[in-house]
Amino acid sequence: MSEHTITVAGVAVDTRHWIGGERVASAQTFPDVSPIDGSTIGEISRGTGMEAAAAVAAAKAAFPAWAATSRAERARILHAIADGVEKRIEELSIVETTDNGALLRSHRRGVMPRVAHNFRFFADWLLKLEHEDFETRGHTNHVSWDPAGPSVLITPWNAPLMLATWKVAPALAAGNTVILKPAEWTPLTASLLADIAAEAGLPAGVLNVVQGYGSEIGDALTSHPDVRRISFTGSVPTAKRIAESAAANLTPLSLELGGKSPLLVFADADLDLAVDLAVEQYDNAGQVCLAATRFLVEESVAEEFTRRFVEKAGQLTQGDPRGEATDIGPNIHPLQLEKIDGFVQRAVAAGARAVIGGHRKDGQYYAPTLLTAVAQDSEIVQEEIFGPVLTLQTFATEDEAVRLANDTRFGLAATLATGDPERAERVTAQLVAGTVWTNCFFVRDLQAPFGGSRHSGVGREGGTWSFDFYCDVKNTVTSPNGWNNHG
């Protein structure tokens, strides 16, 4: 076993970068720490501008051949990558859980199968991607999607491999080459993906994986003049820095950012359903960008809703995410835990009441929390926390509910509980959000557009929208005249 290989729950993981089809070590490393118990999993190669330049150069060199590869062959290789993921679901699941603290049962049953599906979906969508030709004054218009070039993909830590492949799969399907930079807190499954892709026959340089801190390698990637696309999922402040970095080269950006999404509960809703939807917002220890963290409940049912919510939330089991019965695991990092607790303590000091939770537990665990008596303009209502912290406010009228729901700088998602289909239609039409769920939550289909409004993002991912971003969309207009007569 190489000195650069670590063993995570029996799974060998290479800690070096993957550049141009080879493993590349850096002179320096950074520690990767498990949120489960705070132990150091291993030392990871810490990339700088040198590794960034090498990865972009490898992607640039590999681009012409990959772009010229037929759609059918690109799709075949993406399906082969999906096959490799499916063969290693158990390994990927235990490594991811160790690295980011999300539930092992969720990884096994949902997240890792979704990783494979990401590749299969975009492989299949590629083969049917087309726009019907149309005529203009007798001339034929033909729309095509041309590969754009090397693409930098910067991905978050809350669902590392799933969210990475959400970008990697369409970028590769489009004919682009990729430089993937995973979050420094969760780099391990990206390294395993490089192995799986190579085994599936993906040519060298088509997928490159570089690790490190954003300030040391991220800036070098996003400012590189040979990069043709940048896709980022993460925080608003980081997105602003990336946009500034990309501006010099006018590099197109896709940004999926934060959320402060509402859950609107009307008096005519099925309260048991509404409570189920509400408790679901603690998923992944609250580390979900789409989470409906602001409960807006009609006054007449607020007391009963709160009573039922407290009862059901009290049945959740918090602990080691590897346990089959665990519902809530740890938060990702001590810095994130500090941030979460800071939000809560400032809110309580300002007059908020913790109906449940409101405190840390041992290790990197934060008690599921619900705060009431919060002002609409308060920090706890307006800013993304990214932890198991929810707020509850009441409203008297439908108009007030919509006003409160839209009164943040975000617009990623919204969830609505009502028994009146006409009200649902009225309200959803007024909500500022990229995705709205009515009487459900987290129902996702890759052919649907996904993205945010306002400070929640720029652009849309999914289906043809992904290809529109990763490609240069071309229209070719052909005259019926001027052809030589060749008999």
Side-chain angles (χ1 to χ4, degrees):
M1 185 177 293
S2 165
E3 63 177 307
H4 299 289
T5 300
I6 58 174
T7 301
V8 183
V11 182
V13 184
D14 201 304
T15 61
R16 295 170 292 181
H17 313 282
W18 178 255
I19 299 174
E22 297 180 352
R23 289 292 177 179
V24 177
S26 292
Q28 292 184 298
T29 63
F30 64 92
D32 182 28
V33 176
S34 175
I36 298 174
D37 56 10
S39 63
T40 298
I41 304 170
E43 293 290 329
I44 312 299
S45 280
R46 179 175 167 178
T48 63
M50 181 173 67
E51 287 84 1
V56 174
K60 182 180 180 181
F63 173 67
W66 182 244
T69 300
S70 71
R71 287 188 176 192
E73 177 62 8
R74 294 205 301 265
R76 185 195 67 76
I77 292 177
L78 262 63
H79 275 292
I81 295 173
D83 292 341
V85 169
E86 289 175 344
K87 290 175 183 176
R88 301 184 70 176
I89 281 179
E90 182 62 26
E91 294 180 11
L92 292 167
S93 296
I94 189 61
V95 170
E96 194 89 295
T97 290
T98 304
D99 211 13
N100 88 325
L103 301 184
L104 179 58
R105 60 181 168 89
S106 295
H107 282 138
R108 285 170 171 161
R109 298 171 191 173
V111 177
M112 294 309 163
R114 172 63 183 272
V115 168
H117 176 65
N118 286 345
F119 284 103
R120 296 201 192 282
F121 173 87
F122 286 106
D124 293 341
W125 200 267
L126 169 66
L127 296 180
K128 62 182 180 182
L129 182 67
E130 63 178 353
H131 190 293
E132 185 177 350
D133 289 354
F134 58 97
E135 288 197 358
T136 305
R137 298 190 301 276
H139 296 65
T140 300
N141 293 264
H142 176 73
V143 176
S144 58
W145 286 261
D146 293 352
S151 301
V152 167
L153 314 179
I154 303 175
T155 55
W157 45 259
N158 58 321
L161 191 58
M162 195 277 286
L163 293 179
T165 57
W166 198 352
K167 300 176 187 295
V168 170
L172 295 180
N176 291 0
T177 51
V178 165
I179 306 99
L180 171 62
K181 192 276 181 194
E184 57 266 29
W185 287 350
T186 53
L188 300 183
T189 49
S191 180
L192 293 176
L193 178 64
D195 295 334
I196 292 170
E199 292 166 5
L202 190 69
V206 175
L207 172 64
N208 306 275
V209 178
V210 290
Q211 303 147 160
Y213 298 120
S215 59
E216 296 178 348
I217 192 168
D219 292 345
L221 291 171
T222 55
S223 64
H224 200 293
D226 290 333
V227 170
R228 295 291 177 258
R229 293 292 187 273
I230 300 170
S231 182
F232 168 74
T233 297
S235 70
V236 172
T238 302
K240 290 181 178 180
R241 292 197 295 272
I242 289 173
E244 290 175 359
S245 182
N249 301 309
L250 292 178
T251 309
L253 294 169
S254 174
L255 303 173
E256 195 267 278
L257 309 177
K260 195 69 181 175
S261 301
L263 166 61
L264 293 82
V265 179
F266 288 90
D268 57 22
D270 178 334
L271 273 195
D272 286 335
L273 171 63
V275 168
D276 285 346
L277 296 174
V279 173
E280 195 174 345
Q281 308 312 313
Y282 287 131
D283 182 49
N284 201 20
Q287 299 169 141
V288 178
C289 58
L290 292 162
T293 57
R294 294 184 296 131
F295 298 166
L296 305 175
V297 185
E298 194 163 354
E299 289 175 352
S300 61
V301 296
E303 184 176 346
E304 179 63 14
F305 172 87
T306 304
R307 184 190 69 77
R308 295 192 198 184
F309 174 85
V310 169
E311 180 181 354
K312 192 167 186 67
Q315 298 169 8
L316 296 173
T317 299
Q318 187 169 27
D320 192 318
R322 295 166 294 193
E324 185 68 19
T326 301
D327 299 304
I328 303 177
N331 289 98
I332 184 71
H333 193 277
L335 292 176
Q336 186 67 16
L337 201 68
E338 282 287 335
K339 177 185 173 185
I340 294 166
D341 193 49
F343 271 111
V344 172
Q345 299 314 319
R346 289 190 297 273
V348 170
R353 182 172 75 92
V355 179
I356 58 172
H359 58 86
R360 301 184 190 192
K361 302 176 79 172
D362 291 339
Q364 286 176 212
Y365 296 80
Y366 203 87
T369 298
L370 176 65
L371 300 176
T372 59
V374 292
Q376 178 62 23
D377 62 354
S378 63
E379 176 193 54
I380 199 76
V381 170
Q382 293 293 324
E383 297 299 325
E384 185 177 45
I385 301 168
F386 227 59
V389 178
L390 311 170
T391 62
L392 189 150
Q393 301 164 269
T394 61
F395 62 85
T397 67
E398 188 177 295
D399 287 344
E400 184 184 11
V402 171
R403 178 181 63 78
L404 292 173
N406 289 337
D407 187 22
T408 74
R409 63 192 173 111
F410 297 103
L412 187 57
T415 303
L416 173 67
T418 178
D420 184 344
E422 293 181 357
R423 166 174 277 152
E425 186 174 351
R426 285 194 308 271
V427 171
T428 56
Q430 298 176 73
L431 294 174
V432 178
T435 300
V436 180
W437 287 287
T438 301
N439 294 328
C440 60
F441 177 66
F442 221 54
V443 178
R444 296 288 315 283
D445 193 309
L446 281 176
Q447 64 185 317
F450 177 77
S453 305
R454 298 176 176 168
H455 280 210
S456 287
V458 176
R460 293 294 183 267
E461 297 177 280
T464 301
W465 290 275
S466 287
F467 287 95
D468 287 345
F469 173 70
Y470 287 112
C471 293
D472 292 321
V473 183
K474 179 193 293 181
N475 186 43
T476 300
V477 184
T478 303
S479 169
N481 304 313
W483 301 112
N484 292 326
N485 186 355
H486 293 291

